[in-house]
Amino acid sequence: MHEYIGFLLPIHMKINVIKKSLSFVLPVLLLIVLSGCEKKYQRPDHYEVDLFKDERQQGKAYIMDREECFDGSELVIASSNVKIADSSKGRGKTFFLYKVKSGKVMKTIRDSIVDYPFMFLSHQRLKLENDSIYLYLKKLDGYRFIAADRNLKYEWLKAAPVYTVKKDN
């Protein structure tokens, strides 16, 4: 018997070796190629059209100015006696309860007389100043169990910041 090494093999033996290696390598290569293909119809975000891309400003919250806050409120009070009474932080949807001990009514739509002390609800934590601030309040929507328990009638106007009275004068 002759021992053939590498490229010295006869042609018919070389063809058999190539056929055997292709029969193993070709299916593996085909599986790799097919599994690497990404089908575009599986990516709906690729075809998504954003109609409001020019109007959207991410990371910027809308903050109302003094006139918008005053016009959008049902009750506006100038007070320096506002303290946080309670919060639901860590117990579900976060909200804060504030207690107003006294103040001067600047605008009212619903009640002609406000009984002090009273409480109101806010969805955001307010940055209370030591000076007098304006409280922009509207009628409380929802929270009926808390409203009955704490006698809440008002909530903080959304997108309204805390404005001090001294800056207004």
Side-chain angles (χ1 to χ4, degrees):
M1 286 245 149
H2 298 281
E3 290 187 29
Y4 297 104
I5 301 174
F7 63 93
L8 300 175
L9 286 174
I11 302 257
H12 70 280
M13 292 180 84
K14 286 182 184 179
I15 292 174
N16 287 341
V17 169
I18 292 173
K19 283 183 183 178
K20 287 181 184 177
S21 64
L22 278 179
S23 66
F24 291 114
V25 172
L26 192 59
V28 172
L29 185 63
L30 187 63
L31 284 175
I32 291 171
V33 169
L34 289 178
S35 66
C37 291
E38 180 179 359
K39 298 178 184 175
K40 289 192 176 189
Y41 64 85
Q42 290 180 346
R43 294 180 44 209
D45 60 328
H46 179 72
Y47 298 104
E48 194 173 285
V49 177
D50 190 4
L51 299 175
F52 305 102
K53 65 181 176 185
D54 296 332
E55 296 177 13
R56 183 175 298 124
Q57 298 174 352
Q58 293 181 356
K60 294 183 179 179
Y62 176 71
I63 299 174
M64 300 172 88
D65 62 1
R66 291 177 192 264
E67 290 80 24
E68 284 179 311
C69 292
F70 194 83
D71 293 339
S73 300
E74 295 179 13
L75 178 67
V76 179
I77 297 177
S79 176
S80 62
N81 294 326
V82 181
K83 302 288 181 204
I84 188 164
D86 197 5
S87 72
S88 71
K89 192 171 184 178
R91 296 179 279 165
K93 188 175 179 181
T94 303
F95 61 87
F96 302 92
L97 297 177
Y98 290 92
K99 187 172 192 174
V100 181
K101 295 181 182 174
S102 65
K104 181 180 176 185
V105 177
M106 306 300 284
K107 174 189 171 184
T108 182
I109 292 176
R110 296 180 60 213
D111 301 329
S112 58
I113 298 173
V114 178
D115 295 328
Y116 293 101
F118 76 93
M119 295 178 76
F120 68 91
L121 183 135
S122 176
H123 298 284
Q124 66 217 28
R125 187 173 182 95
L126 303 177
K127 294 180 181 176
L128 299 175
E129 305 282 332
N130 292 334
D131 300 331
S132 292
I133 60 171
Y134 287 115
L135 303 175
Y136 300 106
L137 306 174
K138 66 176 187 169
K139 181 185 171 199
L140 180 66
D141 292 328
Y143 300 96
R144 66 176 192 210
F145 295 117
I146 298 168
D149 184 43
R150 296 289 186 118
N151 194 21
L152 295 174
K153 295 181 185 176
Y154 295 101
E155 69 179 319
W156 185 260
L157 184 66
K158 262 188 182 169
V162 176
Y163 288 115
T164 60
V165 176
K166 284 188 176 181
K167 290 182 181 178
D168 191 33
N169 292 340

